[in-house]
């Protein structure tokens, strides 16, 4: 089915694109904290011996959606579920991964390898982010062993290696049932189809993820679907404007500006269309750059 193929491509793209978006954020980023402050806070976190010390360090950048505190704890609590790693270890691992995703600097993966390779989630994160960058360092038998110990992050990791789509979905669903929000998002993106009898239930799960703020992937997927009218969702530019404006209050991501511009284009508001398209271009959105280039070629 053409739609299913589109969804598979989307979820693969989102896994990498979201990390690329993090690397494009500026000082008014979703993390509500400039990079220098984040580096200093990470150093404090890595030196912390207890959870209170970590919380004290994170308090410097505020609390709530879009803050450094929210993103690090989202990873530690909603991805690194169960296992033998301590809360402090999970927070330290999440901080390193957050900085790697924000800057693209591999030194943070080096620190992860040096200090947390022997931990369960440190190993999983190190091998998976190396895998996403094209390096095959994961030992599949070790990941299987971690999954058999009940770690949903290991099930999510194995899903990324699955060649068979049904096996991949089974692994994602397994992790999602254990509370892994990224696995649930990837599962929903892959299975939502207008012909499914449980479409209402699947959409409700997607909307809960969006409302929680726990999944950037879910936000991007839904915005894209309603902005372009894909995947069984009705084309709805007014709702796109409403949601993109809401998301931008705590996530300064170029994708949101691009989809906002598309919505205003459909609403025939040329001024706001060009305004947000230019913002997306300035932030490096390849889609926005291509769209603006095509406009210029048409006008010539």
């Amino acid at each position: 089915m053409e739609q299913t193929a589109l969804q598979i491509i989307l979820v693969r793209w989102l896994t990498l694109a979201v990390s690329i978006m993090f690397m494009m954020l500026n000082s008014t980023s979703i993390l509500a904290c400039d990079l220098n402050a984040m580096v200093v806070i990470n150093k404090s976190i890595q030196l912390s011996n207890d959870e209170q010390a970590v919380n004290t360090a994170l308090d410097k950048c505020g609390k709530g959606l879009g803050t450094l505190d929210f993103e690090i704890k989202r990873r530690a609590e909603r991805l690194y579920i169960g296992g033998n790693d301590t809360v402090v270890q999970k927070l330290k691992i999440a901080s390193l991964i957050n900085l790697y995703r924000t800057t693209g600097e591999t030194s943070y993966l080096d620190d992860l390898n040096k200090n947390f390779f022997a931990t369960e989630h440190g190993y999983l994160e190190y091998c998976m982010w190396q895998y996403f960058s094209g390096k095959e360092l994961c030992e599949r038998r070790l990941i299987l062993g971690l999954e058999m110990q009940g770690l949903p992050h290991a099930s999510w990791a194995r899903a990324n290696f699955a060649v068979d789509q049904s096996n991949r979905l089974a692994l994602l669903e397994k992790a999602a049932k254990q509370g892994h929000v990224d696995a649930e998002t990837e599962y929903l993106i892959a299975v939502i189809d207008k012909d499914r009898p449980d479409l209402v239930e699947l959409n409700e799960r997607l909307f809960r993820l969006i409302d929680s703020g726990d999944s950037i992937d879910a936000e991007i997927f839904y915005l894209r679907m309603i902005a372009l009218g894909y995947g069984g969702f009705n084309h709805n530019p007014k709702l796109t404007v409403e949601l993109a404006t809401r998301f931008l209050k705590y996530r300064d991501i170029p994708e949101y500006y691009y989809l906002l511009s598309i919505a205003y284009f459909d609403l025939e508001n040329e001024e706001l269309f060009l305004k947000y398209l230019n913002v997306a271009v300035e932030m490096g959105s390849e889609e926005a750059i291509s769209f603006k280039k095509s406009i210029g070629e048409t006008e010539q």
Side-chain angles (χ1 to χ4, degrees):
M1 183 183 292
E2 181 180 350
Q3 180 178 338
T4 301
L6 171 65
Q7 288 165 317
I8 294 171
I9 293 169
L10 270 170
V11 73
R12 297 295 189 188
W13 174 82
L14 283 169
T15 301
L16 298 176
V18 172
S19 63
I20 293 170
M21 288 174 192
F22 269 88
M23 297 172 193
M24 296 164 67
L25 302 179
N26 56 26
S27 60
T28 59
S29 74
I30 64 165
L31 301 172
C33 195
D34 67 36
L35 182 57
N36 289 334
M38 289 167 58
V39 170
V40 171
I41 289 171
N42 174 64
K43 289 180 179 178
S44 295
I45 290 173
Q46 300 308 319
L47 293 172
S48 298
N49 294 318
D50 56 61
E51 190 175 356
Q52 182 56 51
V54 174
N55 287 330
T56 299
L58 288 172
D59 283 345
K60 296 174 183 176
C61 275
K63 293 184 179 295
L65 278 174
T67 64
L68 185 64
D69 176 87
F70 183 91
E71 178 57 24
I72 287 178
K73 290 180 179 177
R74 182 194 80 88
R75 296 194 71 80
E77 298 170 4
R78 305 303 304 276
L79 303 186
Y80 309 159
I81 301 165
N84 297 312
D85 298 338
T86 67
V87 171
V88 173
Q89 285 176 325
K90 291 178 180 181
L91 290 167
K92 290 182 177 184
I93 293 165
S95 181
L96 287 171
I97 291 299
N98 177 71
L99 267 177
Y100 169 67
R101 295 180 67 188
T102 304
T103 65
E105 293 184 13
T106 57
S107 61
Y108 296 111
L109 289 184
D110 293 339
D111 288 344
L112 185 70
N113 183 33
K114 178 182 177 181
N115 299 316
F116 298 102
F117 192 78
T119 67
E120 295 161 337
H121 292 93
Y123 172 76
L124 286 170
E125 288 287 55
Y126 180 74
C127 83
M128 290 309 298
W129 285 102
Q130 292 285 14
Y131 174 72
F132 291 147
S133 66
K135 300 174 183 177
E136 180 59 89
L137 300 176
C138 300
E139 291 191 41
R140 309 292 174 85
R141 62 180 182 82
L142 293 180
I143 297 177
L144 177 59
L146 291 173
E147 183 189 4
M148 292 176 68
Q149 292 175 34
L151 272 65
H153 206 49
S155 299
W156 167 83
R158 287 193 63 227
N160 280 276
F161 298 123
V163 176
D164 178 72
Q165 177 69 347
S166 62
N167 184 38
R168 174 175 170 270
L169 291 178
L171 288 165
L172 289 174
E173 187 174 24
K174 177 183 178 181
K177 287 180 178 178
Q178 293 174 278
H180 194 290
V181 292
D182 283 3
E184 181 169 21
T185 300
E186 292 181 28
Y187 174 79
L188 292 173
I189 290 173
V191 302
I192 285 177
D193 187 307
K194 64 181 180 180
D195 297 325
R196 285 188 63 119
D198 58 348
L199 180 60
V200 172
E201 177 189 343
L202 294 174
N203 283 342
E204 287 177 351
R205 288 171 61 182
L206 180 68
F207 299 150
R208 282 197 297 271
L209 277 174
I210 292 171
D211 288 339
S212 72
D214 279 330
S215 176
I216 299 174
D217 289 2
E219 293 174 2
I220 293 174
F221 170 71
Y222 184 58
L223 266 187
R224 182 172 284 273
M225 293 302 99
I226 61 173
L228 303 175
Y230 287 165
F233 293 98
N234 293 328
H235 177 228
N236 194 332
K238 289 185 178 180
L239 182 58
T240 302
V241 168
E242 178 185 333
L243 289 177
T245 302
R246 168 187 153 190
F247 297 155
L248 280 167
K249 290 179 180 178
Y250 50 86
R251 301 197 204 281
D252 199 31
I253 293 178
E255 178 84 1
Y256 294 164
Y257 288 107
Y258 171 66
L259 293 172
L260 189 56
S261 74
I262 294 297
Y264 278 120
F265 178 83
D266 291 336
L267 293 170
E268 299 182 356
N269 188 324
E270 183 177 359
E271 180 181 354
L272 291 179
F273 157 63
L274 291 174
K275 174 185 176 180
Y276 291 112
L277 181 65
N278 287 330
V279 172
V281 168
E282 290 170 3
M283 294 182 74
S285 167
E286 292 187 5
E287 288 178 298
I289 293 169
S290 177
F291 193 8
K292 187 173 183 178
K293 183 179 179 181
S294 68
I295 294 172
E297 291 173 349
T298 302
E299 291 177 346
Q300 289 179 356

